[in-house]
Amino acid sequence: MSTADLLADLNDAQREAVLHIDGPLLILAGPGSGKTRVVTHRIAHLLEQGIHASQILALTFTNKAADEMRTRVATLAPGARVWLGTFHRFGVRMLRKYGELVGLAPNFTIYDTSDSKQTIKRVIESQRIETAKFTAERIAAAISAAKNKLITAEAYQPKSGSPLSEVVAKVYPAYQQRLLQSAAVDFDDLLLHVASLLHENPEVRAQLDEQFKYVLVDEYQDTNRAQYVILRALSHDYPNLAATGDPDQSIYGWRGADLNNILEFERDYPQVKVVRLEENYRSTQRILRIADDLIAHNKKRKQKSLWTKNPEGPPVKLITYADQDEEARDIARQIRESIDAGSRRANEYAVFYRMNALSRAVERAMREAQVPYQMVRGQEFYQRKEIKDVLSYCQLLNNPLDDIACERAINTPSRGIGERTLERLGAHAYEYRVALLDAAREALQIEGLAKRTATKVAGFVATIDAIAKYQAESVEEVIGAVLSESGYRDVLAASDDEEDQNRLANIEELLTDARQFDERYEGHAPLEDYLERTWLVNDIDGWETDSDKVTLMTLHAAKGLEFPVVFLVALEDGILPHERSAQSPDELEEERRLAFVGITRAKQELQLSLTQRRDFRGQRRISIPSSFLMELPRHEMDQVRVTSDELTFDPMEFDGGADDDISFDFGDEPAKPQAAPIKEVAVAVTTAAALAEKTTGYMGPAISPDEFTLHMTVVHAELGPGKIVALSGSGKNRRATIQFPVAGQKRYVLAHAPLRPANR
């Protein structure tokens, strides 16, 4: 394709980014601004300029994004074999080739989260490490955080006064040693090992820098320290790094993403060319203005002004429901009526929530309304017990050193090999520095192991050897051999238990999955490649884009997607923003970015909602509106309060009040009439003044003024809920400026004010 053809459908800013060839490039791409088009057209333009495909490396974060880019590049430049994939797949590729430099066998296994925790438990047991009652989950999370910061096991130092870090300092080195002995890595190692080998092997670094002269990375704002170091190493001699991203969409700080990587890009590459993509092709003008007003409250960002030529669009809906069931039923009803009227299809709708725990009411309402839906949890299939059982045999064939796979397979299906036998095998393996499978081969010679038990272990080894005869065959044949030789399929087929029948159906689906994988190869697909695919499944890989179903997903999973109609539920204090962000301005900004991401997924219609009370995590709570709602332009929205005829609540949950309606008012402007009134509901027009009647009186025990923090949501005895927007002084002189939805800003001396934190 000629350069003229490549540029034909691009705007001026997009053309500027595509035409840039040598030197660093930062593309600040707002939501819906066509960044994927820019990245793929830029790759095609590089090829058009005579740059060989093998010199181009394009990295992104999800398999779906990589597949989309690969398809577009194939259309623009047929036959070009550009390496395009996720960071973790690139890590696998590098470690298969150079892994021996970090002590890793090329046939290594990739442990998922549950395998990593199981390995940590085994390390703690075998070395009798005192964990001070910290769970394996806590320890694993701390190790992961260290790896994301490129802190190796050898370099890790406990923090003074931190019992958890003292435990991690003992577990981390032993855990890493166990991984290497098992020829295994966890997800973080795929980046940590690559960063280490690039740092410690200048020749390899220079070789790869020479090979990949042009590096393009998408979603640069989501890179962590390890990814940052890898990209710097690959762009040292040839600093042709093109980073595309948006600080306003950085939402993965909790898993190591460092916002400073994109904020300080110009410092790292002083000769950088910066291009801003500000024209939005996705959303209506009203949706875009809502989003722009919200994100403008963040301080850690790069200024840009989003705009669109799209229509004005209908007002954004802001609806208050009585509870989560009413919220879910009304959303399901709206979708059902639209489908029945032929106005929209089910797959045009998405429902977003801050966390998966909020999906239960929505799922139930969809089923009751007979609305087809899908939950987007990409790893779910490969995490099912029966699937992991079958794949553990395959992992053991591919990597006989994999002790975790051996532990899982050895008694699946049941062979009468108990925990005590596993402990003896494990002790033998530890003493003689051999793999668990090798210990099993020596079972008849292990002292203290009964002959009857050793014979059962020998039977398992014989099964593995029988399956190994199929290792060079297709993946479908290997899995078929696992099911027949192990007896796993027969055990499930003979069971009358409905759950076992579901498991049988799932392993048959696994065979189908393997067959489809085989069909993509000429000849037999490598078992290792298939296993790698199951290990590197992303959150949205299970999303069926072609099915006619409503999509239910978390806000984190929604990034990069778009839908004609979006429902964003539970905009309540402690949920969005999350309760843990109350004490951290940086975390609060990330929560605001998360809301921004959710809003900007909507193309034509958007509904935001909250409830007056919500059953959440085993408790019934009176909801406080999200502080983000106070930051939205209310004239852009239709505000509706939808309540049951008789809403009651426990007055003890609100420190005073009576058993009658509570609803919230969000602004000085009167609520506009809804364009399409909601059917058969009572609309409560009570305001914050009515709420005040229910909160006047006893405010609970005295609270120290120093307990109040910036951005905290508080309740005033007369004015209702508000947010602290400024603080000064301390002790009895501590003062606060509070933004109330109706009364506006008020200033108080906290020692004498009738205020309490909303969560008290």
Side-chain angles (χ1 to χ4, degrees):
M1 183 177 290
S2 69
T3 298
D5 291 333
L6 284 172
L7 301 179
D9 60 343
L10 303 179
N11 63 37
D12 291 344
Q14 291 172 337
R15 288 192 193 100
E16 188 179 2
V18 167
L19 290 173
H20 181 84
I21 298 179
D22 293 317
L25 173 67
L26 176 61
I27 304 171
L28 294 172
S33 61
K35 68 180 178 66
T36 303
R37 182 191 308 172
V38 169
V39 173
T40 53
H41 277 63
R42 186 166 184 274
I43 292 172
H45 182 248
L46 292 174
L47 295 168
E48 173 69 20
Q49 298 305 302
I51 295 167
H52 196 273
S54 63
Q55 294 182 309
I56 301 172
L57 171 66
L59 297 170
T60 187
F61 280 82
T62 68
N63 296 322
K64 225 170 243 310
D67 290 343
E68 171 68 16
M69 287 187 181
R70 196 175 293 111
T71 299
R72 293 198 194 188
V73 169
T75 300
L76 296 170
R81 298 182 64 83
V82 174
W83 201 95
L84 201 161
T86 66
F87 274 97
H88 287 90
R89 286 193 183 278
F90 177 73
V92 171
R93 179 183 178 183
M94 293 299 100
L95 292 177
R96 296 282 185 219
K97 186 173 182 179
Y98 301 106
E100 291 181 356
L101 294 174
V102 292
L104 193 62
N107 64 329
F108 60 84
T109 298
I110 303 172
Y111 282 175
D112 62 18
T113 304
S114 63
D115 293 335
S116 296
K117 286 188 285 191
Q118 184 68 12
T119 304
I120 287 174
K121 289 177 182 177
R122 290 291 181 249
V123 165
I124 291 169
E125 292 167 1
S126 65
Q127 301 207 10
R128 296 181 173 84
I129 297 174
E130 175 53 52
T131 63
K133 297 185 179 179
F134 289 113
T135 64
E137 288 83 358
R138 287 283 303 279
I139 297 169
I143 292 174
S144 176
K147 289 184 176 184
N148 281 327
K149 296 174 183 176
L150 290 185
I151 301 174
T152 63
E154 295 76 20
Y156 186 90
Q157 294 293 325
K159 298 177 183 177
S160 177
S162 171
L164 175 60
S165 69
E166 292 175 3
V167 171
V168 172
K170 298 174 184 176
V171 175
Y172 187 3
Y175 167 68
Q176 208 62 19
Q177 183 182 17
R178 178 68 70 95
L179 288 177
L180 290 174
Q181 288 173 348
S182 299
V185 296
D186 58 26
F187 288 127
D188 299 311
D189 284 334
L190 293 175
L191 303 177
L192 176 63
H193 283 324
V194 173
S196 296
L197 75 86
L198 290 174
H199 175 71
E200 296 169 5
N201 299 273
E203 305 85 2
V204 174
R205 188 213 63 75
Q207 177 186 339
L208 291 173
D209 197 346
E210 171 79 24
Q211 177 181 347
F212 299 119
K213 290 182 179 178
Y214 295 88
V215 179
L216 302 90
V217 57
D218 192 22
E219 307 288 7
Y220 188 75
Q221 76 280 350
D222 292 333
T223 53
N224 61 22
R225 180 67 182 172
Q227 289 158 332
Y228 170 84
V229 167
I230 291 169
L231 291 170
R232 290 282 282 172
L234 295 177
S235 307
H236 183 272
D237 303 329
Y238 299 89
N240 303 319
L241 173 62
T244 304
D246 180 9
D248 291 339
Q249 298 184 71
S250 177
I251 60 174
Y252 295 113
W254 52 278
R255 68 182 188 195
D258 188 347
L259 181 61
N260 290 322
N261 290 351
I262 191 168
L263 293 179
E264 298 175 1
F265 194 87
E266 291 99 325
R267 183 204 65 183
D268 294 333
Y269 300 92
Q271 304 304 315
V272 64
K273 181 181 184 64
V274 179
V275 177
R276 286 175 166 80
L277 304 183
E278 298 175 313
E279 182 177 359
N280 178 284
Y281 293 91
R282 176 188 298 155
S283 304
T284 65
Q285 294 181 29
R286 273 182 160 143
I287 291 172
L288 208 58
R289 288 197 295 268
I290 288 271
D292 219 13
D293 277 23
L294 175 66
I295 203 63
H297 287 79
N298 273 9
K299 295 180 179 178
K300 289 191 172 183
R301 60 191 302 256
K302 286 186 177 290
Q303 186 58 43
K304 61 182 180 301
S305 299
L306 302 178
W307 61 278
T308 183
K309 296 176 183 176
N310 289 340
E312 182 79 356
V316 172
K317 294 179 184 177
L318 174 58
I319 302 185
T320 305
Y321 294 99
D323 56 28
Q324 73 277 352
D325 292 327
E326 192 168 72
E327 177 183 52
R329 282 195 297 268
D330 187 58
I331 290 171
R333 178 196 59 76
Q334 291 184 55
I335 296 172
R336 179 74 267 169
E337 290 182 359
S338 177
I339 293 172
D340 290 346
S343 303
R344 291 193 183 276
R345 299 181 60 182
N347 61 10
E348 295 182 64
Y349 293 94
V351 182
F352 299 155
Y353 30 79
R354 174 62 179 80
M355 56 202 78
N356 279 312
L358 295 166
S359 69
R360 182 174 55 86
V362 179
E363 289 183 80
R364 183 171 60 246
M366 293 291 174
R367 290 194 297 267
E368 290 174 353
Q370 296 185 328
V371 173
Y373 71 93
Q374 60 175 321
M375 295 282 294
V376 177
R377 291 176 181 170
Q379 295 179 329
E380 190 175 70
F381 178 74
Y382 297 109
Q383 292 298 312
R384 289 171 177 160
K385 177 187 180 302
E386 59 274 16
I387 302 302
K388 292 200 71 170
D389 288 344
V390 174
L391 292 180
S392 66
Y393 283 90
C394 299
Q395 290 171 205
L396 200 52
L397 288 184
N398 183 65
N399 175 13
L401 298 179
D402 187 348
D403 287 354
I404 293 297
C406 188
E407 279 187 22
R408 189 173 195 104
I410 197 169
N411 204 36
T412 305
S414 177
R415 297 182 175 89
I417 300 172
E419 236 354 92
R420 185 171 298 179
T421 301
L422 269 178
E423 288 175 6
R424 296 198 179 211
L425 290 173
H428 180 85
Y430 182 75
E431 181 180 357
Y432 292 96
R433 296 288 186 266
V434 297
L436 194 61
L437 180 59
D438 290 332
R441 292 186 184 282
E442 300 168 1
L444 291 170
Q445 286 79 47
I446 294 178
E447 186 177 347
L449 203 60
K451 185 175 181 180
R452 180 180 176 187
T453 302
T455 301
K456 294 176 182 177
V457 174
F460 163 70
V461 173
T463 298
I464 294 296
D465 291 342
I467 298 170
K469 296 175 183 177
Y470 295 85
Q471 191 167 358
E473 304 303 322
S474 68
V475 176
E476 183 186 8
E477 288 179 272
V478 174
I479 292 177
V482 170
L483 296 178
S484 57
E485 295 290 343
S486 69
Y488 195 58
R489 176 195 271 143
D490 294 339
V491 169
L492 293 177
S495 173
D496 294 328
D497 186 272
E498 184 177 349
E499 183 61 31
D500 283 342
Q501 293 306 304
N502 289 335
R503 287 175 176 153
L504 180 62
N506 286 333
I507 63 173
E508 297 293 352
E509 181 62 28
L510 182 65
L511 279 170
T512 301
D513 184 62
R515 184 183 312 119
Q516 292 171 347
F517 186 82
D518 287 327
E519 289 170 354
R520 298 174 192 158
Y521 283 78
E522 293 181 8
H524 296 317
L527 178 62
E528 183 175 86
D529 286 6
Y530 179 74
L531 291 173
E532 182 181 308
R533 174 177 171 270
T534 68
W535 292 325
L536 298 180
V537 171
N538 296 130
D539 291 343
I540 65 169
D541 284 350
W543 181 40
E544 299 175 16
T545 55
D546 297 330
S547 66
D548 193 15
K549 299 176 183 177
V550 176
T551 297
L552 312 184
M553 59 169 43
T554 65
L555 285 164
H556 284 100
K559 191 153 79 73
L561 307 180
E562 61 182 28
F563 299 88
V565 185
V566 166
F567 295 90
L568 176 48
V569 303
L571 273 158
E572 297 154 20
D573 188 68
I575 295 178
L576 186 64
H578 194 281
E579 59 189 358
R580 67 165 173 255
S581 68
Q583 307 301 323
S584 170
D586 285 349
E587 290 190 19
L588 184 65
E589 288 209 354
E590 179 156 319
E591 290 292 301
R592 189 178 285 109
R593 292 193 292 269
L594 190 58
F596 173 80
V597 165
I599 289 170
T600 54
R601 300 311 94 192
K603 297 171 68 175
Q604 297 160 11
E605 298 178 38
L606 172 66
Q607 175 177 309
L608 311 176
S609 63
L610 68 157
T611 64
Q612 297 172 323
R613 67 183 179 210
R614 185 176 297 274
D615 293 336
F616 184 62
R617 291 180 174 171
Q619 295 182 336
R620 174 163 295 177
R621 45 187 268 177
I622 297 299
S623 303
I624 300 294
S626 168
S627 57
F628 297 155
L629 293 175
M630 301 179 190
E631 301 169 354
L632 300 180
R634 290 178 291 279
H635 62 277
E636 300 282 2
M637 301 186 289
D638 276 348
Q639 299 179 55
V640 179
R641 296 157 193 83
V642 180
T643 70
S644 302
D645 290 337
E646 294 186 6
L647 172 63
T648 61
F649 68 100
D650 183 350
M652 294 303 293
E653 294 180 352
F654 208 78
D655 288 341
D659 288 348
D660 35 16
D661 291 354
I662 293 181
S663 67
F664 302 100
D665 195 294
F666 296 99
D668 301 324
E669 303 171 13
K672 299 177 183 178
Q674 192 183 23
I678 294 177
K679 191 177 180 181
E680 297 180 354
V681 296
V683 178
V685 293
T686 51
T687 65
L691 174 63
E693 295 179 7
K694 297 163 178 65
T695 57
T696 303
Y698 176 61
M699 294 297 293
I703 298 169
S704 168
D706 292 326
E707 289 188 40
F708 292 89
T709 58
L710 193 63
H711 304 304
M712 175 185 282
T713 300
V714 297
V715 176
H716 187 278
E718 295 181 358
L719 301 178
K723 184 178 74 169
I724 297 177
V725 295
L727 281 170
S728 63
S730 61
K732 65 180 182 180
N733 296 319
R734 190 166 176 81
R735 298 172 182 270
T737 301
I738 300 173
Q739 177 73 47
F740 293 100
V742 175
Q745 288 193 359
K746 302 290 183 181
R747 188 168 170 79
Y748 297 95
V749 176
L750 290 171
H752 307 292
L755 292 163
R756 63 171 176 77
N759 58 5
R760 295 288 182 89

